[in-house]
Amino acid sequence: MYRPPIPGSVTAGRVLLITEGALWLLLGALVVVVGVVVIAVGKNLSVTGINGQMNSLSGPAVGVGAAVVAFGAVLVGLAIASIWSGAAMGRLTGGPRVTGLVLASLGLIVGILSAVGGSQSYVDASNGTTFQSTPIPGLILIVLNVAIIWTLGLTASARAAFGGVRAGAGHPMPPPPGYGPPPGYGPPPGYGPPPGYGPPPGYGPPPGYPPSPNAPPPWPPSPYSTPPPPPGSAQGDPTAPPLGAPTGPAYHPPGSPPLSPPTDPPTSET
């Protein structure tokens, strides 16, 4: 099975996609753990009211913990999809590439929102202090996902790799024996050159073509060419007399056995 080579831009995008998916997987697992802890603690959580009565907060705490667990599960699912997309993109098929571009676009949106929200100032009303959040995590997400979108969707090598011959195409198989067009199959009616169509003027063989068999050659004879046969009847002419048998003794190669057994030597009479 023939598999075209993977361009370097696609390889870089796959590595970035798998790396981002692994980071989101760790973050999602941490969020799920936090949600489980909130649910476990919230079941026994209660506060003292204004009138001195104990009010249980197990219901709201369990609800918040369940929401945190669900959010973490979504992050884990997206992370697994990102890792699968980067790993399956080696086959140069369209599905993993589209999945990776969609996840990168979502990560870019999250990075922009995180960078905008992380550049805000917050005031602690209890002690009057002010602290500034950092947009660095959002900027990292923006750079990472822009690089993924560029390497997988905008580079010429990636578009050629995913738009050309698919992996496993191989050579075309020959048709089975007896396969052919049905009887009477031909071009549809009216198919062909329009009426009155012909070659342009001057198109065709030159005048005097083909030459006559008895015409002299158009080029001068070479001194190294074979001289023409003498005039007369050719050997293959049916009116020529048949060739006679060769005259003279038969050819006898040296060292070969004699053509006839030797005669007996004469005997002397006693």
Side-chain angles (χ1 to χ4, degrees), residues 3 16 21 89 94 105 114 137 154-155 167 198 213 228 231 266:
R3 179 171 296 176
L16 294 176
M89 209 174 296
S105 301
S114 177
L154 301 179
T155 57

Side-chain angles (χ1 to χ4, degrees), residues 9-10 97 149-160:
S9 59
V10 177
R97 180 186 180 224
I149 295 174
W150 171 261
T151 55
L152 297 180
L154 301 179
T155 57
S157 58
R159 288 181 295 174

Side-chain angles (χ1 to χ4, degrees), residues 110-222:
V110 172
I112 294 174
L113 296 178
S114 177
V116 172
S119 58
Q120 303 294 328
S121 298
Y122 299 93
V123 178
D124 189 358
S126 60
N127 52 15
T129 58
T130 302
F131 63 94
Q132 180 75 28
S133 60
T134 175
I136 293 178
L139 295 177
I140 294 176
L141 285 177
I142 291 175
V143 173
L144 183 60
N145 289 281
V146 166
I148 293 174
I149 295 174
W150 171 261
T151 55
L152 297 180
L154 301 179
T155 57
S157 58
R159 288 181 295 174
F162 287 98
V165 179
R166 294 295 183 268
H171 298 282
M173 296 180 61
Y179 177 81
Y185 178 81
Y191 180 81
Y197 176 80
Y203 181 81
Y209 186 85
S212 174
N214 299 325
W219 58 87
S222 173

